[in-house]
């Protein structure tokens, strides 16, 4: 019998039902990473790109890594947290 790994909780948006990435806007700082590993990074959102079926629903984010400054595109579901404003 294979060992079962606990699943990571599904992070939800401000209303408690929507995925967190639906709340992301340009200028926010977010935490990106995979729920399958401990690899994560913090990034500033430069651009929000909508989907083909509904342009108002974000599917891709162009982000700048806050540590290295590298700019890359990430899938919306890789955003796990929104960093609150100070």
């Amino acid at each position: 019998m294979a060992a079962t790994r606990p699943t990571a909780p599904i992070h939800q948006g401000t209303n408690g039902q929507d995925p967190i990435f639906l709340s992301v806007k340009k200028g926010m700082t977010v935490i990106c990473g995979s729920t399958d590993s401990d690899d994560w990074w913090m990034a500033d959102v430069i651009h929000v790109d909508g989907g083909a079926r509904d342009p108002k629903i974000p599917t891709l984010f162009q982000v700048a890594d806050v540590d290295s400054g590298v700019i890359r595109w990430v899938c919306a579901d890789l955003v796990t947290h929104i960093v609150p404003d100070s």
Side-chain angles (χ1 to χ4, degrees):
M1 183 169 152
T4 59
R5 181 177 168 189
T7 57
I10 298 172
H11 300 286
Q12 298 178 337
T14 54
N15 68 1
Q17 294 178 350
D18 295 332
I20 192 89
F21 66 82
L22 293 177
S23 302
V24 175
K25 307 286 184 226
K26 180 175 133 178
M28 290 182 163
T29 302
V30 295
I31 303 294
C32 300
S34 173
T35 57
D36 298 337
S37 71
D38 293 333
D39 185 30
W40 62 273
W41 66 95
M42 189 165 26
D44 293 325
V45 178
I46 299 170
H47 179 75
V48 178
D49 192 31
R53 292 184 184 179
D54 187 352
K56 294 180 183 177
I57 305 253
T59 56
L60 290 170
F61 299 115
Q62 187 177 35
V63 298
D65 188 310
V66 297
D67 291 329
S68 65
V70 172
I71 296 174
R72 60 177 138 181
W73 287 94
V74 295
C75 292
D77 61 345
L78 289 180
V79 174
T80 59
H81 297 81
I82 297 173
V83 178
D85 291 335
S86 55

